[in-house]
Amino acid sequence: MKPLTHTEPLHFECETGNYHTFCPISCVAWLYQKIEDSFFLVVGTKTCGYFLQNALGVMIFAEPRYAMAELEEGDISAQLNDYQELRRLCSQIKKDRNPSVIVWIGTCTTEIIKMDLEGMAPRLEMELGIPIVVARANGLDYAFTQGEDTVLAAMAHRCPDSGRAKQQSRTHIDENDSLSSRGLRSLLSFPVPSTTEQTAHPPLVLFGSLPATVAAQLGLELKRQGIQVSGWLPAQRYAELPSLGEGVHVCGVNPFLSRTATTLMRRRKCKLIGAPFPIGPDGTRAWIEKICAVFGIQPKGLQEREEQVWKGLEGYLRLVRGKSVFFMGDNLLEVSLARFLVRCGMVVYEIGIPYMDKRYQAAELALLQSTCQEMGVPFPRIVEKPDNYHQVQRIRELHPDLAITGMAHANPLEARGISTKWSVEFTFAQIHGFTNARDILELVTRPLRRNHSLQELGWVQLVQSPV
Amino acid sequence: MGTYKIQSRGVFMKLAYWMYAGPAHIGTLRVASSFKNVHAIMHAPLGDDYFNVMRSMLERERDFTPVTASIVDRHVLARGSQEKVVENITRKDKEERPDLIVLTPTCTSSILQEDLQNFVDRASMGADCDVILADVNHYRVNELQAADRTLEQVVRHYLEKAKRQGCLDLRKTEKPSANILGIFTLGFHNQHDCRELRRLLKELGVETHQVIPEGGSVSQLQFLPNAWFNIVPYREVGLMAAEYLEKEFGMPYVSTTPMGVVDTAHCIREIQSIINSQAGHEIVNYQSYIDQQTRFVSQAAWFSRSIDCQNLTGKRAVVFGDATHAASMTKILSREMGIQVVCAGTYCKHDAGWFREQVASFCDQVLITDDHTEVGDLIAKVEPAAIFGTQMERHIGKRLDIPCGVISAPVHIQNFPLGYRPFLGYEGTNQIADLVYNSFTLGMEDHLLEIFGGHDTKEVITKSLSTDTDLRWSAEGQAELSRIPGFVRSKIKRNTEKFARQNNLNEITVEVMYAAKEAFTQ
Ligand code: SF4
């Protein structure tokens, strides 16, 4: 093993960008479920609708809180007015569903015809009395999970100001206090330390959409360190968006939220805690440690907690140790997952990734680097904007034990004897925190376990001429 | 975005949740990727290659779907996509050595004023393969129309090329032969239907000359006219190509879908008369074959006489789907099984005239729409005993507790069965009989269970898809309602509510129910 020094950098490449991924409008699928009182209106064409309909599968039939405003070639002589059209649709939505917020998702078409969604939204908002948030989550600019990033960046502007919020959260904390002291405290303009040690640090807001249980689990982990999460972006309801402002610390839970991070720093004057992401026990520990470090807290029992989780994973680890993996890249979770898998004892050949924000992911990249060094494996090749055709050639050459890839390539690769795991599942599964490390390995080892049980049967290569 | 102007600024919007037919490019891709060694390049933003996922998942394709994108991004918007498109075409030509590359426009290309034809002309100068631009406009045609158009375009391209090169050979095969047009990827049971059709032709002594596009080779297209005639099993795709071949080369075609006992016989008789007229005298007579198959090979004719089917007499059904399947199914239910089709409908609005004509005498009502809520409301209103429709109707049925047999695209993965399940030909009639019978008996078993108190704990008051009514049911009223057997309960509920509304009552008590009953039985 060639000794590696800390100064030796990770190597980044950039290919043609001819790769398969989901359109970012797919974020409505999980965001409408996360934000319970929202309604998502995708202003696009049949192409967008068809994608959502097929990608979301059965969810479509459950009266989802999303719809398409389908753009059709209008009769030019009729001179239909975009504003009037959107007003008509949104009034209907308000009447039928009564949401607390309508999110307009701009698409490629609205970009190209330069439909002024941002200009129309405030006017309509006034007229209808319902907040309208605009996110341009189109395929011209973004890939898959970046859709969530555009929505959260837009929502960051709608979060209440922390000046007001401090009061709110104080009244909440002081609920059991006597009336007089509450009255007194609400007059004060600076944070008052409460009886518990949990407010001994500046307010912390986490950003990234996670299922309620996972968010609660992460909150609990921090609480063990005496850290109170004062809010999440997004919250379970639009009305509960967290307060932001100077002095508020923010930390991301997902690697694809760089626009949101930038917005929180530049526009809402928050302090960003740059940490690795809480994916895998190693990532979770590093994430908590970083937050503790920023708040000057000495973490307690973290190392034991991590070790305990690893011990529990041993059954899975036995299956993956020494195996190789290739990420084709489509959802931006790749670096974190690769780092975790290296720690599990795997060798990562390639990390394909749609877009690499080296600043937002800096801590994660550093952890990847040190993990590789500790485990004594070579650095993976990081390929931004990959070219699927070239990647398939490389996969044939390297013959990895596992390719993590989109559904377009999974079956053809399986037919050629390459085990695959469908990458989108990582987006929808619960993979954050100590508790869910098992779920990641459950996914990663599934093809290995399946193929193990089929091994004896002798059919691996299922195409006639493996050209 | 300097180089672009917007063609039309008047934009019409409609609120949509679900669509029956996809966008145009899907149709083009389905045709192109069905041919062997044809590659499609979409002119599209990142993310629009979802087609590959569908093909790989639904068809469980072992091979890489021969579709890539020439990606339209910010950079391209600013500089135009000529360079990139040409580069992508030449690259694909080198990598895969296809016979043909089809440049496929999307909704994005439709609003960018770029001369894609010009890019194609340029690219084909440097490429070894043929290159064509699919002549489809996102805003004018849907998936099915685009597929039909693309198939015709490819066929025409190769016949004209052969004509130009003077190598067109129009001699007919020695024995009667036929091409099958319109079998393609992601089609509803297409693979099974194709196998059944080949078998049928073989039994009729007709050689299957070519099947296109599925598994076909573009280099063979110039030999299409060597067949005696063409068969177009589905209305939606293949007719344009068949019409072109008839006009240019005098090739007759059969477009009667051989679905159901009666129409299969029709189709065979048409084949007979075409063969005899091509030969100039009678060389085949299929009457005894039809008779034999109908009475003894297919179980469907016997089924229609059996006691089981007698029990279906007069049962009410709703049919909805593409024009081919919905029309054939309506005829089968009504003509061959004695079932009352209360409504037959299609989402193929562009083919409404043909559809009406086909089903007019076999149903009470015709519905032409691509709005699924309209279909749902209609089903909720007429409350059939069974539905035969698409996946959407299956879900409507689930919510209303009405069984549904899926007979048409759009489809899910379970509509790509591994076992042999044709809808066409004589084996198809058996499959359809099973499907119909199972749908109805399931429904009846359910009702029997309810009558004898099998599982009467579920909520019974929601049988309407439309928004909740303004009426309140008293507790006793609800209790009384739940005592009514399941299969008439919703009708009684509806009548009672209608009565209440007519009389301006907003609470429904037991008294109101009885009053309503009297009013309706008078
Ligand atoms: S890439 Fe653009 S056109 Fe395609 S689905 Fe996404 S937003 Fe719509």
Side-chain angles (χ1 to χ4, degrees):
Chain A
M1 194 67 241
K2 188 178 109 195
L4 298 159
T5 65
H6 274 282
T7 47
E8 187 167 340
L10 289 165
H11 186 60
F12 296 91
E13 285 171 46
C14 189
E15 280 188 321
T16 62
N18 260 317
Y19 65 100
H20 164 77
T21 183
F22 275 21
C23 170
I25 60 173
S26 52
C27 67
V28 307
W30 63 87
L31 288 176
Y32 90 75
Q33 296 191 57
K34 173 71 194 179
I35 310 170
E36 287 165 359
D37 52 352
S38 62
F39 192 100
F40 285 77
L41 184 67
V42 181
V43 188
T45 62
K46 244 184 189 322
T47 307
C48 316
Y50 192 72
F51 163 69
L52 282 177
Q53 168 175 327
N54 287 292
L56 270 56
V58 286
M59 278 190 242
I60 293 285
F61 300 107
E63 292 224 19
R65 286 187 322 280
Y66 90 79
M68 290 285 311
E70 193 181 311
L71 303 171
E72 296 188 337
E73 201 171 41
D75 178 0
I76 303 169
S77 59
Q79 285 301 328
L80 288 161
N81 175 314
D82 297 339
Y83 183 78
Q84 292 307 333
E85 288 290 294
L86 279 169
R87 200 176 79 108
R88 186 171 59 80
L89 297 187
C90 290
S91 314
Q92 196 184 326
I93 292 165
K94 189 184 168 193
K95 194 175 117 248
D96 293 351
R97 302 299 190 89
N98 192 29
S100 311
V101 59
I102 297 179
V103 183
W104 286 353
I105 303 285
T107 62
C108 301
T109 305
T110 58
E111 286 297 310
I112 296 168
I113 66 176
K114 295 183 180 165
M115 189 184 280
D116 182 19
L117 294 176
E118 273 97 346
M120 287 186 279
R123 251 177 85 197
L124 195 53
E125 184 168 317
M126 291 282 285
E127 215 178 317
L128 289 183
I130 180 168
I132 295 175
V133 172
V134 181
R136 303 169 166 206
N138 61 68
L140 295 171
D141 300 302
Y142 306 109
F144 195 11
T145 48
Q146 288 179 294
E148 175 180 322
D149 194 20
T150 62
V151 173
L152 296 191
M155 286 216 171
H157 293 280
R158 301 304 185 105
C159 294
D161 215 47
S162 59
R164 219 175 61 219
K166 265 177 216 156
Q167 276 180 7
Q168 273 173 5
S169 71
R170 239 186 346 269
T171 14
H172 180 70
I173 292 168
D174 299 346
E175 224 151 38
N176 297 325
D177 290 7
S178 72
L179 251 175
S180 58
S181 75
R182 201 193 313 169
L184 180 68
R185 283 182 187 183
S186 62
L187 291 173
L188 304 173
S189 58
F190 54 88
V192 182
S194 83
T195 42
T196 66
E197 51 183 337
Q198 283 172 352
T199 45
H201 60 80
L204 171 68
V205 169
L206 301 179
F207 59 96
S209 163
L210 292 180
T213 48
V214 182
Q217 284 162 0
L218 286 180
L220 208 62
E221 296 293 350
L222 290 172
K223 206 168 168 190
R224 287 197 179 139
Q225 305 299 336
I227 295 168
Q228 174 83 21
V229 177
S230 54
W232 279 84
L233 173 65
Q236 209 63 23
R237 305 180 65 81
Y238 179 75
E240 294 160 9
L241 281 179
S243 321
L244 301 173
E246 220 158 327
V248 173
H249 283 61
V250 292
C251 187
V253 296
N254 267 323
F256 44 76
L257 298 172
S258 54
R259 273 171 67 92
T260 308
T262 313
T263 309
L264 291 172
M265 285 190 297
R266 300 229 178 104
R267 309 295 297 273
R268 302 306 308 264
K269 306 286 175 238
C270 300
K271 282 218 166 50
L272 178 71
I273 303 177
F277 301 100
I279 292 171
D282 49 341
T284 307
R285 177 182 165 190
W287 182 73
I288 297 172
E289 275 176 351
K290 184 65 195 281
I291 297 173
C292 286
V294 170
F295 292 155
I297 294 171
Q298 184 64 42
K300 295 181 298 256
L302 260 189
Q303 190 181 344
E304 297 77 57
R305 180 112 172 84
E306 191 197 345
E307 274 163 17
Q308 201 188 342
V309 175
W310 284 118
K311 221 173 277 158
L313 297 176
E314 185 51 36
Y316 290 108
L317 296 178
R318 241 177 272 137
L319 291 169
V320 299
R321 262 188 212 114
K323 297 253 168 34
S324 54
V325 57
F326 189 109
F327 284 88
M328 285 185 83
D330 66 352
N331 58 18
L332 284 94
L333 294 171
E334 292 86 2
V335 176
S336 309
L337 288 172
R339 176 261 303 150
F340 167 60
L341 293 181
V342 169
R343 172 61 75 201
C344 291
M346 297 185 88
V347 179
V348 178
Y349 288 149
E350 175 163 331
I351 303 177
I353 185 166
Y355 168 75
M356 181 79 239
D357 183 333
K358 286 183 202 154
R359 278 177 57 197
Y360 177 64
Q361 293 227 43
E364 184 62 86
L365 287 168
L367 185 58
L368 170 71
Q369 193 161 355
S370 62
T371 304
C372 288
Q373 285 161 344
E374 268 170 56
M375 300 302 291
V377 294
F379 290 154
R381 148 195 191 136
I382 300 179
V383 182
E384 211 184 335
K385 291 185 183 298
D387 184 300
N388 281 166
Y389 181 84
H390 293 150
Q391 286 184 312
V392 169
Q393 309 304 318
R394 293 198 287 273
I395 287 177
R396 281 172 176 163
E397 222 167 89
L398 297 162
H399 214 97
D401 295 306
L402 183 67
I404 295 181
T405 173
M407 205 61 204
H409 294 101
N411 269 337
L413 285 172
E414 287 283 352
R416 282 158 186 78
I418 304 274
S419 296
T420 60
K421 182 78 225 126
W422 187 26
S423 51
V424 172
E425 286 190 69
F426 293 102
T427 325
F428 293 113
Q430 309 198 340
I431 60 170
H432 293 75
F434 287 123
T435 332
N436 298 310
R438 170 176 297 272
D439 290 49
I440 310 177
L441 285 177
E442 177 69 28
L443 287 177
V444 167
T445 57
R446 193 172 297 156
L448 303 174
R449 282 176 288 137
R450 195 265 312 262
N451 294 349
H452 185 76
S453 53
L454 298 185
Q455 210 166 36
E456 309 291 278
L457 300 174
W459 55 71
V460 174
Q461 188 83 40
L462 290 159
V463 279
Q464 249 133 27
S465 51
V467 226
Chain B
M1 278 193 247
T3 49
Y4 296 104
K5 280 186 219 88
I6 296 111
Q7 275 183 340
S8 120
R9 196 61 189 82
V11 182
F12 169 75
M13 291 181 208
K14 76 176 186 206
L15 207 54
Y17 297 88
W18 208 80
M19 63 184 85
Y20 284 102
H25 70 265
I26 298 287
T28 295
L29 298 180
R30 284 175 61 189
V31 166
S33 63
S34 293
F35 278 112
K36 271 197 302 225
N37 216 24
V38 170
H39 201 100
I41 296 184
M42 302 167 70
H43 183 241
L46 188 69
D48 277 356
D49 63 351
Y50 191 72
F51 173 76
N52 298 31
V53 176
M54 289 185 61
R55 185 153 183 273
S56 174
M57 275 180 74
L58 299 180
E59 293 268 28
R60 300 182 190 87
E61 258 299 325
R62 298 171 199 221
D63 281 313
F64 292 98
T65 297
V67 172
T68 42
S70 178
I71 289 170
V72 181
D73 56 16
R74 283 285 157 198
H75 201 63
V76 162
L77 279 189
R79 303 178 48 186
S81 42
Q82 166 151 326
E83 207 182 311
K84 200 163 182 183
V85 169
V86 172
E87 195 183 289
N88 278 313
I89 293 175
T90 24
R91 179 182 154 188
K92 219 16 95 183
D93 177 50
K94 288 209 185 67
E95 283 168 359
E96 309 270 359
R97 306 234 138 260
D99 297 325
L100 169 69
I101 288 178
V102 181
L103 182 62
T104 309
T106 60
C107 60
T108 305
S109 353
S110 289
I111 51 169
L112 293 174
Q113 283 186 324
E114 284 197 290
D115 190 357
L116 293 179
Q117 186 58 52
N118 174 32
F119 306 170
V120 162
D121 294 341
R122 275 166 161 268
S124 43
M125 288 190 298
D128 289 333
C129 66
D130 294 306
V131 188
I132 61 175
L133 170 67
D135 177 22
V136 293
N137 181 319
H138 173 91
Y139 290 100
R140 309 280 157 82
V141 293
N142 70 19
E143 170 183 3
L144 298 170
Q145 293 163 292
D148 200 15
R149 174 86 191 89
T150 303
L151 184 60
E152 190 245 16
Q153 202 189 345
V154 173
V155 166
R156 182 191 291 265
H157 179 84
Y158 282 95
L159 282 160
E160 279 174 5
K161 185 177 169 190
K163 207 190 285 176
R164 271 198 313 275
Q165 295 173 343
C167 52
L168 204 54
D169 177 3
L170 295 175
R171 274 176 302 177
K172 295 292 170 193
T173 56
E174 200 181 313
K175 290 219 187 91
S177 59
N179 302 312
I180 303 175
L181 312 183
I183 303 285
F184 68 144
T185 192
L186 292 173
F188 183 74
H189 293 241
N190 271 204
Q191 313 283 3
H192 310 278
D193 284 347
C194 183
R195 205 167 122 196
E196 186 64 18
L197 280 178
R198 280 171 175 275
R199 194 175 80 173
L200 180 68
L201 289 176
K202 194 167 173 211
E203 286 176 356
L204 299 176
V206 178
E207 175 194 316
T208 302
H209 187 63
Q210 284 188 40
V211 177
I212 58 164
E214 185 62 49
S217 164
V218 287
S219 59
Q220 297 299 307
L221 291 179
Q222 64 177 97
F223 304 117
L224 280 175
N226 300 8
W228 289 30
F229 66 101
N230 293 313
I231 296 182
V232 184
Y234 314 110
R235 284 281 307 165
E236 286 73 23
V237 178
L239 267 189
M240 281 182 80
E243 278 159 12
Y244 163 76
L245 290 166
E246 180 180 54
K247 196 159 145 272
E248 287 296 312
F249 306 99
M251 287 184 81
Y253 66 87
V254 179
S255 63
T256 300
T257 303
M259 186 166 150
V261 177
V262 177
D263 276 352
T264 302
H266 270 318
C267 176
I268 295 175
R269 286 194 198 100
E270 277 182 51
I271 293 175
Q272 172 181 313
S273 78
I274 283 180
I275 291 178
N276 289 339
S277 80
Q278 294 280 91
H281 58 103
E282 176 170 317
I283 58 169
V284 291
N285 186 330
Y286 296 135
Q287 199 46 51
S288 63
Y289 174 81
I290 294 174
D291 194 50
Q292 177 75 11
Q293 291 286 324
T294 304
R295 290 194 299 143
F296 304 112
V297 176
S298 157
Q299 298 295 312
W302 158 235
F303 170 71
S304 66
R305 281 307 293 263
S306 71
I307 304 299
D308 280 340
C309 196
Q310 206 180 79
N311 285 337
L312 300 182
T313 307
K315 287 253 172 296
R316 302 157 80 246
V318 166
V319 178
F320 195 83
D322 64 21
T324 302
H325 290 89
S328 295
M329 202 61 201
T330 302
K331 286 188 270 182
I332 293 170
L333 291 172
S334 158
R335 184 161 65 184
E336 299 178 18
M337 295 180 178
I339 288 161
Q340 186 194 353
V341 179
V342 277
C343 178
T346 183
Y347 56 83
C348 295
K349 283 158 86 176
H350 60 278
D351 212 9
W354 178 85
F355 185 78
R356 277 181 206 285
E357 186 194 307
Q358 289 292 305
V359 300
S361 48
F362 300 104
C363 63
D364 306 345
Q365 187 188 345
V366 177
L367 177 67
I368 311 286
T369 183
D370 55 6
D371 177 352
H372 71 91
T373 55
E374 220 176 296
V375 182
D377 286 346
L378 181 123
I379 292 174
K381 205 172 89 214
V382 305
E383 281 171 66
I387 312 165
F388 297 93
T390 71
Q391 279 294 335
M392 190 67 207
E393 283 67 46
R394 194 171 72 85
H395 283 269
I396 293 171
K398 256 191 191 165
R399 284 162 61 189
L400 296 174
D401 250 336
I402 302 172
C404 176
V406 175
I407 54 141
S408 159
V411 282
H412 282 176
I413 191 143
Q414 64 263 44
N415 302 116
F416 292 86
L418 300 172
Y420 188 49
R421 296 261 157 66
F423 270 65
L424 304 187
Y426 286 110
E427 178 53 30
T429 62
N430 293 337
Q431 297 290 339
I432 293 169
D434 277 343
L435 180 77
V436 172
Y437 183 63
N438 289 339
S439 304
F440 279 109
T441 45
L442 284 180
M444 294 223 301
E445 276 164 19
D446 229 37
H447 287 149
L448 285 174
L449 274 175
E450 284 194 13
I451 292 174
F452 298 112
H455 48 217
D456 213 349
T457 46
K458 63 184 165 188
E459 181 57 58
V460 292
I461 314 296
T462 49
K463 195 117 198 188
S464 161
L465 268 186
S466 5
T467 41
D468 262 349
T469 61
D470 43 331
L471 292 165
R472 212 160 6 97
W473 282 75
S474 73
E476 308 87 70
Q478 282 209 19
E480 182 65 20
L481 186 65
S482 67
R483 271 192 283 276
I484 294 163
F487 62 101
V488 285
R489 186 187 296 143
S490 53
K491 185 172 279 167
I492 290 182
K493 177 179 181 249
R494 219 178 47 237
N495 285 345
T496 310
E497 289 181 346
K498 195 161 151 198
F499 173 83
R501 237 175 250 122
Q502 279 165 357
N503 293 284
N504 289 323
L505 304 163
N506 43 25
E507 176 162 33
I508 299 178
T509 57
V510 180
E511 288 76 31
V512 176
M513 287 177 74
Y514 292 153
K517 190 179 175 202
E518 278 164 32
F520 278 98
T521 41
Q522 268 164 20

